[in-house]
Amino acid sequence: MYSERVMDHFQNPRNMGEIEDASGVGTVGNAKCGDIMRIFLDIDEEGVIREAKFKTFGCGAAVATSSMATELVKGKTVQEALQVTNKAVMEALDGLPPVKVHCSLLAEEAIHAALWDYAKKQGIAIEGLQEPRADIHEDEES
Ligand code: FES
C-alpha cells in the first residue's frame, strides 16, 4: 500500500524538531482526522531557506510528507518553495494511496502558512502566495 520511500520517511523522518526564532512558522490541521502539522523555516537575507523543520501530530503519511516537504524546500528560494505543491511531495515519495492525499495537502499548506508568517514578519508580499484560510481548518478534500 505504501511505497518504500513513504515507509523510509515515516520510519526515519528527516528534519523533525523545531527552529528557535524561526523566520516563519506555519501550523495547519485537518479537522476530520484531527492531524496537526507545524513547519518552521529559517530564511536568510537573500530569501533562501537555510533550514526547515517540522512537528507533526498525525498519521504516518503526514509524518512522511512533512519529512519530504522539509527536504524539498531546503536550499530553495521563497519563490521556488511555492512550487513545492502536494503533488510534488507525493511524486517525491513515489505516490500515496488516494485516502492519504489530504495528508500531503497538509504539508503544502503548512509550508505556505510558514511563508505567509515570514512575509508578514518581514512586511513583504510574496507573489502568488495566498493568505492561509486559518491556522487550523477543516479540509474539504479529504
Ligand atoms: Fe489526516 Fe493523514 S490521516 S493527515
Side-chain angles (χ1 to χ4, degrees), residues 38-56:
R38 179 168 294 159
I39 286 187
F40 303 81
L41 299 176
D42 179 26
I43 301 170
D44 70 14
E45 309 73 44
E46 315 282 309
V48 175
I49 299 170
R50 270 189 302 224
E51 194 63 75
K53 295 224 180 265
F54 78 90
K55 273 191 155 176
T56 291

Side-chain angles (χ1 to χ4, degrees), residues 17-31:
E18 49 190 287
I19 299 174
E20 250 178 74
D21 301 322
S23 317
V25 182
T27 307
V28 294
N30 182 304

Side-chain angles (χ1 to χ4, degrees), residues 49-117:
I49 299 170
R50 270 189 302 224
E51 194 63 75
K53 295 224 180 265
F54 78 90
K55 273 191 155 176
T56 291
F57 186 76
C59 74
V63 171
T65 53
S66 312
S67 169
M68 183 54 92
T70 48
E71 280 289 274
L72 289 176
V73 298
K74 266 199 290 183
K76 288 200 163 63
T77 64
V78 164
Q79 276 302 328
E80 288 165 346
L82 272 185
Q83 310 306 317
V84 179
T85 59
N86 77 306
K87 284 197 181 69
V89 173
M90 277 199 297
E91 268 166 36
L93 285 170
D94 294 334
L96 278 174
V99 294
K100 290 292 174 183
V101 170
H102 78 272
C103 318
S104 64
L105 212 57
L106 219 49
E108 175 186 314
E109 290 176 346
I111 289 172
H112 285 187
L115 289 173
W116 183 265
D117 182 45

